[in-house]
Amino acid sequence: MTTSTSEIIGILGGMGPAATADFYTKLVSMTPGSSDQDHLRTVIWSDPTIPDRTDALLGDGPDPTPWLLDGSRVLREAGATVIAIPCNTAHAFVPRIADHVGLPIVHMIGEVARHLTTVSPRIHTAGLLATTGTLRAGLYQEWLDRFGIHLWLPDADSQEREVMAGIRAVKAGDRGGAAATLDRAARRLTEQGAQAVIAGCTEIPLGLPADAVDVPLIDPALVLAQALVRRVRSGTTAGEAARAMYCTQYVTGQPCLPPSPQRRGLSPPA
């Protein structure tokens, strides 16, 4: 692989720390190369003090926007030329920071939506395991609807007792305890007809093995890593990257899809 000498990937992490470490491992594994020098230059800012994103979206905690903006600026000052955020729920706050960062952000959820259109046989219905904040913000619903993919969500009881319980278990270091609850939640979705299950929280792949589900388990962190590798291999210029702010045009070559009116209505940080 020929690595672009000008590209430096900035990882805005800490949400949570284990998920950030897992994402970097996936970025390394997705990078073709036979020596250290073939890999991507990367800056990681892992800040576990960022307030809980779900709590903020549910009105039960502080807005994490200032922390996300500060972390993005740290990455920019460290030399990053593009930002990746390996946290699904944090993408609800991307519109608040995108115009203030000065760097393009590869939108993980947009990349997952595009990835699903490439899966064969074609995916018409997907199930989503994610935080309650991600569900409440409608992040995946908005993107998958653009591509004509129907989305199944867990019922309220499964969401709290299985999905959120599994996510909390992973964050607490109990991956074995997470596996049983996440497996049950995934099976409920496939029984409803989901042709694929999106592991829409970066902790979920740490507690739910891919072979535990009898349909494709889509790992957004892996999809994001693949998108970053494509970006570097395509040799995107800085000018092209700036024009692609807050979209995935520079990765996929597809037209930018603007944020919905709901997303545009979010106010910028003070």
Side-chain angles (χ1 to χ4, degrees):
M1 172 181 174
T2 302
T3 301
S4 168
T5 57
S6 63
E7 194 75 280
I8 300 176
I9 294 169
I11 299 174
L12 182 56
M15 304 171 279
T20 299
D22 178 63
F23 172 70
Y24 183 61
T25 297
K26 288 168 178 170
L27 182 62
V28 171
S29 69
M30 288 295 102
T31 304
S34 58
S35 68
D36 294 346
Q37 291 72 28
D38 290 329
H39 285 270
L40 309 182
R41 296 196 295 171
T42 306
V43 178
I44 301 174
W45 175 252
S46 183
D47 181 5
T49 70
I50 297 173
D52 187 273
R53 285 64 60 198
T54 288
D55 285 351
L57 291 168
L58 299 181
D60 296 329
D63 182 358
T65 300
W67 283 261
L68 296 171
L69 187 56
D70 286 346
S72 299
R73 287 170 173 164
V74 169
L75 292 171
R76 183 184 65 197
E77 291 169 6
T81 57
V82 61
I83 289 179
I85 307 175
C87 172
N88 291 265
T89 314
H91 280 70
F93 302 92
V94 165
R96 301 186 182 187
I97 69 172
D99 292 336
H100 304 272
V101 172
L103 295 175
I105 299 171
V106 179
H107 199 284
M108 179 164 64
I109 295 173
E111 292 297 339
V112 170
R114 296 185 191 281
H115 172 74
L116 283 170
T117 66
T118 70
V119 175
S120 182
R122 183 177 176 183
I123 300 295
H124 299 280
T125 303
L128 176 63
L129 300 179
T131 66
T132 303
T134 294
L135 301 188
R136 183 71 61 87
L139 298 175
Y140 277 96
Q141 294 93 314
E142 177 184 346
W143 275 96
L144 295 191
D145 184 63
R146 291 172 173 177
F147 291 92
I149 300 173
H150 180 73
L151 195 62
W152 283 110
L153 305 178
D155 62 33
D157 186 65
S158 174
Q159 177 63 25
E160 182 58 31
R161 294 178 180 271
E162 296 172 343
V163 182
M164 288 304 298
I167 292 170
R168 294 185 188 109
V170 171
K171 288 181 178 290
D174 182 14
R175 299 188 185 185
T181 59
L182 293 172
D183 177 71
R184 287 197 297 271
R187 291 183 183 278
R188 294 181 197 280
L189 294 174
T190 59
E191 288 168 0
Q192 294 179 67
Q195 299 168 283
V197 172
I198 302 168
C201 171
T202 43
E203 272 77 25
I204 288 177
L206 298 177
L208 181 64
D211 59 6
V213 184
D214 57 6
V215 298
L217 182 66
I218 307 299
D219 181 350
L222 189 62
V223 172
L224 178 59
Q226 292 168 334
L228 290 165
V229 172
R230 286 198 306 272
R231 171 187 165 84
V232 172
R233 297 188 75 182
S234 70
T236 304
T237 67
E240 289 169 343
R243 290 193 296 274
M245 185 72 70
Y246 183 49
C247 72
T248 56
Q249 182 175 10
Y250 53 85
V251 173
T252 63
Q254 298 297 319
C256 270
L257 295 175
S260 68
Q262 178 185 5
R263 302 271 94 69
R264 290 196 297 268
L266 293 171
S267 59

